Amino acid sequence: MIRQQANRGRPLEELIIMANRQYRAQRRAVIHKVPTAWIPLRDSRGRIVTAKVEEKAAVDFLGTYRGRSLAFDAKHCAGERIRWDRVEDHQAQFLEDWTRDGGISFILVGFNMSRFFVVPWEFWRDGIFRWKYEEGPASISIKQMCPEWETRLGGRATPDYLAVVDKLWFGGEESGYTWWTVQRKKGRR
């Protein structure tokens, strides 16, 4: 619990960047934050007073792990629920295309900056579909998260999300399928 409390007040992206540095130093993966392009706005004297987004990044993070391309977005919430529409349309399309082309795609969700989950893109996409077209719920609660998606905290109290990626995408039958994988095999969403 001490490590979890240490994360309060730290932006989720900062924790992921720290984890990515550790992964690279360990030669496990190369994953980078995709920068957002900003346009500075100046006052009449030419001083920068603010900035606006020039172009939205497709997702927050891109990289390579175990020979596979990886793309994910980081989302956090202060409560016990996170809305499906936190993933914007352009991000959803990018993750869908990435997955279709054989890449690993997911949403890394932080609840109260103390619990973190790797949610496979296909599951998140199905949640959006149910919400938009089948009158399903507009959000998912922390209690509804699959336990196998939860990350453990690694060094420097960063989420070790690659351990979950290992289970979900590289585990095989012997390592134990997750609820999500079993549901997909049964043809359920």
Side-chain angles (χ1 to χ4, degrees), residues 69 96-103:
S69 61
E96 188 64 28
D97 293 344
W98 197 271
T99 301
R100 185 193 64 238
D101 289 342

Side-chain angles (χ1 to χ4, degrees), residues 2-187:
I2 293 170
R3 282 186 162 180
Q4 291 177 342
Q5 290 175 347
N7 288 332
R8 293 188 192 276
R10 277 191 144 154
L12 179 58
E13 288 183 359
E14 181 183 326
L15 292 177
I16 296 169
I17 290 169
M18 290 172 54
N20 291 345
R21 286 183 187 140
Q22 292 171 20
Y23 293 147
R24 187 159 187 185
Q26 298 163 355
R27 296 181 178 221
R28 285 182 67 191
V30 177
I31 302 164
H32 289 281
K33 169 79 175 89
V34 176
T36 301
W38 293 90
I39 298 175
L41 300 177
R42 300 176 187 274
D43 65 11
S44 59
R45 295 186 209 170
R47 292 182 300 191
I48 297 173
V49 292
T50 189
K52 69 176 185 174
V53 174
E54 179 179 17
E55 183 180 340
K56 294 180 181 180
V59 291
D60 292 329
F61 296 92
L62 293 173
T64 304
Y65 178 57
R66 294 178 68 173
R68 300 264 314 267
S69 61
L70 191 105
F72 66 97
D73 208 67
K75 301 293 183 192
H76 62 87
C77 63
E80 299 292 314
R81 300 190 74 79
I82 188 160
R83 292 184 54 87
W84 299 119
D85 63 3
R86 289 287 306 276
V87 172
E88 297 178 34
D89 290 341
H90 73 280
Q91 294 172 320
Q93 187 60 58
F94 183 88
L95 292 168
E96 188 64 28
D97 293 344
W98 197 271
T99 301
R100 185 193 64 238
D101 289 342
I104 295 170
S105 305
F106 58 91
I107 307 298
L108 200 153
V109 178
F111 288 95
N112 299 307
M113 294 305 291
S114 62
R115 293 182 68 190
F116 308 94
F117 295 83
V118 172
V119 181
W121 168 246
E122 294 91 337
F123 182 86
W124 196 278
R125 177 195 60 215
D126 291 350
I128 291 172
F129 183 86
R130 286 190 306 273
W131 167 58
K132 284 186 173 180
Y133 304 108
E134 298 175 356
E135 297 183 25
S139 62
I140 185 170
S141 74
I142 193 169
K143 292 177 183 175
Q144 294 170 306
M145 289 286 173
C146 186
E148 288 88 355
W149 298 343
E150 188 164 11
T151 68
R152 302 247 184 259
L153 293 178
R156 295 187 180 162
T158 60
D160 182 14
Y161 66 88
L162 287 183
V164 178
V165 169
D166 279 334
K167 284 191 293 187
L168 296 178
W169 281 275
F170 297 101
E173 282 186 80
E174 298 80 35
S175 317
Y177 274 79
T178 63
W179 170 87
W180 167 73
T181 308
V182 170
Q183 296 305 311
R184 285 186 62 212
K185 282 191 166 258
K186 291 179 179 177

